[in-house]
Amino acid sequence: MVGLAVDYARFVNARSQTIAATDAAVLAGARALQSNGGDQEDAERVAMTYYQQATLNRIHLLSDSIHFDAVDNGTAMEADGNAVISTPFMHLAFGLAGTQSSTLPLLRADGSDYSKAVLAVGGNGEQSLEVSLMLDITGSMAGQKLTDMKAAASDLVNIVVWQDQSKYTSKIAIVPFAYDVRPPSSILTNIRGIGSSTNTKQKISGTTYYLSDCVVERAGSEAYTDAAPGAGKYLMGHYVKKVNNKVNCDVPAAAELLPLTSDKSALLTKISNLSTAGSTAGHLGTAWAWYLLSPNWGSLWSSASRPAAYGTEKLKKIAVLMTDGEYNTQYTSQGIPDGSPSLTKCPNAANGVCSSAQAVSLCTGMKAKGIEVYTVGFQLDNQIAVDTLSKCATDANHFYNSSTGDALKAAFRDIALKISTLYLSQ
């Protein structure tokens, strides 16, 4: 009886140490997935190293095959294998009857003891998420770059938007931008002002420009705030020349912005249907990435797409700003592109400031409201573009400068993992 008690105590002690070590190791590996850009092999090494350190003082085992694997498309870390301890006294007591071997496995064969750490987003992570995703669809993004961007953005949507939205929600808004931004037609009057519907054209230097269905920047004292649109705070409409007797803005109808939604199908369809055109008015995309997260603009949307109040408990607001180049287009007070070549001041622009500087001011305002800002560059072509995104990001760890399609996808995945929370599912 004394011998059986010794064996059992050794078994219970080794088992509890092993379970605690595997729990800690899978959490360490999953945290590595959040911080290393989704490098699964590195995360597996981190988990194994953590496990080995945690079991240094464990009772000696006959064998230990426990290992760690990144699973579920790189969004979870799982323990597998088993460890075996010797039971010499149990063998003496029961061996003659053939009912007991000289060893015992520490973990149950049904898998109930095996640890799994899951990177959970939104409802599955016991917090809600509101994410605005600004996507560059300018002409320079044509071809493989657009294909790469669609794959990266779709991957983020698939990770962030989970099935169960019953208690906590994970919602994403899509903001495609080029020369301008195309909002839903139902809100145009509310954001451009009542008078814009009658002022459908204007003549400047002998050229007639026509009011399109897209909008550009906001002039005045509220240019870099998220104040609700209203008198003195409306956005300018984009006035364009007629082409083939048609009035078209650059952003096509299929790239109309999509307010916050947890409808994964709608999000993926929106991304899939994007096409390219126009130049890079990045401050417009930045502004709308903020507006779609701002409770001040909530009255424009249905209840399902309405942003929650700033400071809501267990809610994160996150903006992801993606572009492939320098912001090079801003507007005059007539809603016409400003052609000033100055890189620091654009005296003809509505705000007297170039697009890049306007974007940074908007980012500063956004961050002051508690919005976490990630910026993703894709094959950036000059230092001004790099500086703009660096200044816009919450900090250096929130800025990605991707040179290839694979790197772009890794950046979006890393963002999705970083905004996830961890929990042990087993």
Side-chain angles (χ1 to χ4, degrees), residues 60-124:
H60 177 71
L61 304 180
L62 288 178
S63 65
D64 186 349
S65 63
I66 290 174
H67 59 277
F68 303 91
D69 301 301
V71 296
D72 297 345
N73 198 25
T75 61
M77 182 65 61
E78 189 174 60
D80 202 358
N82 213 327
V84 175
I85 191 171
S86 64
T87 54
F89 293 110
M90 287 186 181
H91 175 66
L92 290 175
F94 300 111
L96 294 177
T99 58
Q100 179 67 40
S101 70
S102 60
T103 63
L104 277 178
L106 297 180
L107 304 180
R108 296 187 181 95
D110 63 5
S112 58
D113 291 329
Y114 290 89
S115 301
K116 182 177 182 180
V118 178
L119 291 160
V121 187
N124 290 23

Side-chain angles (χ1 to χ4, degrees), residues 226-302:
D226 66 333
K233 296 176 286 188
Y234 288 118
L235 277 67
M236 294 188 293
H238 186 190
Y239 283 84
V240 301
K241 299 175 185 178
K242 278 188 177 180
V243 177
N244 297 324
N245 207 34
K246 294 181 179 180
V247 178
N248 293 320
C249 50
D250 281 345
V251 170
E256 177 183 291
L257 61 82
L258 182 66
L260 289 169
T261 180
S262 56
D263 185 338
K264 185 181 291 188
S265 177
L267 289 162
L268 295 176
T269 298
K270 176 65 65 176
I271 293 169
S272 176
N273 289 338
L274 294 177
S275 57
T276 58
S279 297
T280 313
H283 63 302
L284 305 181
T286 303
W288 276 96
W290 186 3
Y291 299 157
L292 291 178
L293 295 175
S294 171
N296 297 331
W297 287 62
S299 62
L300 295 173
W301 316 114
S302 68

Side-chain angles (χ1 to χ4, degrees), residues 195-227:
S196 66
S197 60
T198 58
N199 186 24
T200 57
K201 64 181 179 180
Q202 55 183 316
K203 184 171 287 189
I204 301 173
S205 300
T207 301
T208 301
Y209 295 86
Y210 297 85
L211 183 63
S212 73
D213 287 336
C214 290
V215 293
V216 291
E217 63 201 54
R218 174 158 60 180
S221 61
E222 303 292 350
Y224 309 127
T225 78
D226 66 333

Side-chain angles (χ1 to χ4, degrees), residues 179 209 216-217 236 238-239 279 281 283 327-355 358:
Y179 242 178
Y209 295 86
V216 291
E217 63 201 54
M236 294 188 293
H238 186 190
Y239 283 84
S279 297
H283 63 302
Y327 297 162
N328 56 19
T329 303
Q330 54 285 318
Y331 288 82
T332 69
S333 58
Q334 292 82 32
I336 307 298
D338 172 39
S340 173
S342 171
L343 296 178
T344 56
K345 290 287 185 179
C346 299
N348 296 322
N351 299 294
V353 181
C354 281
S355 180
Q358 290 191 57

